[in-house]
């Protein structure tokens, strides 16, 4: 439950920084990060680079900006990236790569597992011919709507892009959810990717921030694009301290969010709802005989917020406990009864 008394399941972005996180933030040592002199930002970047096995990290104000800067660093004007039709980096970032980078997206349908079939990717690569944009990059997402991409698939994608001489970017907004759920370490999950963007402000519970990771050269280019896109921050250590706190306290506990999501899914199935299989912290619920918007409204009247489109999306996180799961189950029972 949040400080206003709502059980907010719309997203894991709604978490409020804990007292302990806030005190770590207020005590942070700071400097001017545009000069590269903020010790807390530098510590966060180095820590996440070490954890992921990437050469360098770069603190970014948001995941959207982190992905944008990655795309612009990989692709020039007139280049193209291959991406999922429902991918955040294509559908939910305002078309930024095209607007600001002159980069053309080539969207493809995701498969059942949340990946892009590599045969389909191969078929979408444009020939080197002046009629076509130059295909430069494959962009994957992990987790993708709560699904964990299988390690074998990730390894194939790495080999495939090397053979095809494409770059490989991971929108790893929830990469730690994938690592915790699969028991695969974060460095193994991202091994072979040229760049990875990780959000600190989702299930990890920090109020602000993402980190973009890659080689030394890549991050040098990204640093320039971060400045150009207005993302150079000054005493950002206050924000980075929230991220550092999250990395040392809130990674392993993601398993509890996953357990609660699975428990809630089982409860809702018992009530007759059609719930898609749950792997991490997201549940997708078909509203069945109920109108999804009406269902959403009835939940809100009982203090429960969910996201709604053709189906309901419920996301568990740090501010959702066992009592909240029991309450949500009870309200669904009452509504459907
Ligand atoms: C949240 C999210 C992002 C970045 O979002 P911001 O709100 O800009 O931090 C990127 N990709 C995915 C898959 C996300 O869920």
């Amino acid at each position: 439950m949040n400080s206003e008394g709502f059980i907010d399941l719309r997203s894991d972005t709604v978490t409020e920084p804990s007292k302990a996180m806030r005190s770590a933030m207020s005590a942070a040592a700071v400097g001017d990060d545009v000069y590269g002199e903020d010790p807390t930002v530098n510590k966060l970047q180095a820590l996440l680079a070490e954890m992921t096995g990437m050469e360098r990290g770069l603190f970014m104000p948001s995941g959207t900006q982190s992905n944008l800067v990655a795309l612009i660093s990989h692709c020039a004007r007139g280049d193209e990236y291959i991406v999922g039709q429902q991918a955040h980096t294509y559908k939910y970032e305002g078309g930024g790569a095209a607007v600001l980078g002159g980069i053309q997206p080539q969207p493809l349908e995701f498969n059942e597992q949340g990946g892009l079939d590599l045969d389909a990717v191969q078929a979408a690569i444009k020939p080197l011919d002046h009629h076509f944009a130059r295909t430069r990059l494959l962009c994957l997402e992990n987790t993708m709507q709560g699904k964990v991409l299988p390690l074998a698939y990730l390894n194939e994608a790495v080999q495939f892009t090397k053979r095809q001489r494409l770059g490989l970017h991971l929108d790893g907004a929830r990469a730690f959810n994938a690592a915790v759920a699969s028991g695969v370490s974060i460095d193994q999950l991202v091994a072979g990717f040229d760049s990875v963007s990780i959000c600190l402000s989702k299930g990890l519970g920090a109020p602000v921030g993402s980190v973009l990771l890659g080689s030394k050269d890549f991050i040098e280019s990204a640093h320039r694009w971060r400045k150009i896109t207005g993302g150079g921050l000054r005493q950002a250590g206050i924000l980075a301290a929230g991220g550092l706190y999250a990395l040392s306290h809130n990674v392993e506990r993601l398993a509890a969010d996953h357990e609660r999501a699975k428990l809630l899914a089982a409860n809702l199935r018992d009530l007759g709802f059609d719930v898609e299989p749950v792997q991490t912290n997201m549940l997708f619920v078909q509203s069945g005989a109920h109108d999804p918007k009406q269902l959403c409204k009835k939940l809100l009247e009982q203090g429960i917020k969910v996201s709604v489109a053709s189906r309901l999306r419920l996301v568990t996180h740090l501010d959702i406990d066992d009592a909240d799961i029991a309450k949500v189950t009870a309200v669904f029972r009452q509504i459907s009864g």
Side-chain angles (χ1 to χ4, degrees), residues 173-320:
R174 296 184 181 84
F176 278 105
N177 291 83
V180 168
S182 61
V184 175
S185 62
I186 189 81
D187 59 322
Q188 262 184 295
L189 266 187
V190 305
F193 278 80
D194 296 301
S195 56
V196 182
S197 172
I198 294 180
C199 286
L200 301 163
S201 59
K202 302 269 162 90
L204 296 180
V208 177
S210 283
V211 175
L212 180 62
L213 299 138
S215 68
K216 182 170 172 289
D217 285 351
F218 176 83
I219 292 298
E220 250 165 44
S221 163
H223 198 171
R224 179 179 172 74
W225 282 112
R226 185 183 71 173
K227 184 67 187 162
I228 292 171
T229 53
L233 303 178
R234 302 294 178 176
Q235 285 72 34
I238 290 180
L239 304 175
L244 278 170
Y245 182 91
L247 289 174
S248 51
H249 295 84
N250 294 344
V251 174
E252 294 309 322
R253 66 150 306 287
L254 291 170
D257 297 342
H258 302 167
E259 282 313 307
R260 290 193 179 105
K262 284 178 188 164
L263 174 63
L264 182 56
N267 293 349
L268 298 186
R269 284 189 199 111
D270 283 347
L271 294 172
F273 285 93
D274 183 358
V275 187
E276 292 170 27
V278 172
Q279 295 182 25
T280 57
N281 65 334
M282 281 189 199
L283 284 82
F284 292 93
V285 184
Q286 301 293 341
S287 58
H290 305 268
D291 172 62
K293 289 225 174 67
Q294 279 301 319
L295 194 54
C296 192
K297 204 172 138 223
K298 285 185 187 162
L299 290 167
L300 185 59
E301 284 164 8
Q302 307 277 342
I304 299 166
K305 297 184 181 183
V306 302
S307 295
V308 63
S310 60
R311 52 187 186 170
L312 305 185
R313 187 184 83 160
L314 285 67
V315 186
T316 56
H317 52 73
L318 200 78
D319 294 345
I320 299 296

Side-chain angles (χ1 to χ4, degrees), residues 62-64 67 88 93 141 171 173-174 199 202:
S62 72
T64 298
N67 281 325
H88 205 281
E93 297 182 358
E141 189 170 311
D171 177 358
R174 296 184 181 84
C199 286
K202 302 269 162 90

Side-chain angles (χ1 to χ4, degrees), residues 80-133:
E80 163 183 278
Y81 68 113
I82 298 178
V83 62
Q85 193 72 252
Q86 307 296 329
H88 205 281
T89 43
Y90 170 56
K91 192 171 176 186
Y92 298 99
E93 297 182 358
V99 174
L100 299 164
I103 306 163
Q104 161 174 294
Q106 169 59 70
L108 300 175
E109 288 300 330
F110 279 119
N111 61 30
E112 270 297 299
Q113 296 183 311
L116 296 172
D117 287 330
L118 297 176
D119 289 346
V121 175
Q122 170 129 42
I125 296 173
K126 312 286 182 289
L128 283 175
D129 176 306
H130 65 272
H131 289 86
F132 303 114

Side-chain angles (χ1 to χ4, degrees), residues 127-166:
L128 283 175
D129 176 306
H130 65 272
H131 289 86
F132 303 114
R134 289 175 301 187
T135 310
R136 289 283 197 210
L137 182 73
L138 173 61
C139 187
L140 298 175
E141 189 170 311
N142 198 13
T143 60
M144 202 298 284
Q145 300 189 351
K147 292 177 184 171
V148 179
L149 302 193
L151 187 58
Y153 171 76
L154 294 172
N155 290 336
E156 276 173 39
V158 167
Q159 294 311 319
F160 170 83
T161 48
K162 280 202 167 61
R163 278 198 307 276
Q164 302 290 335
R165 297 178 194 283
L166 297 181

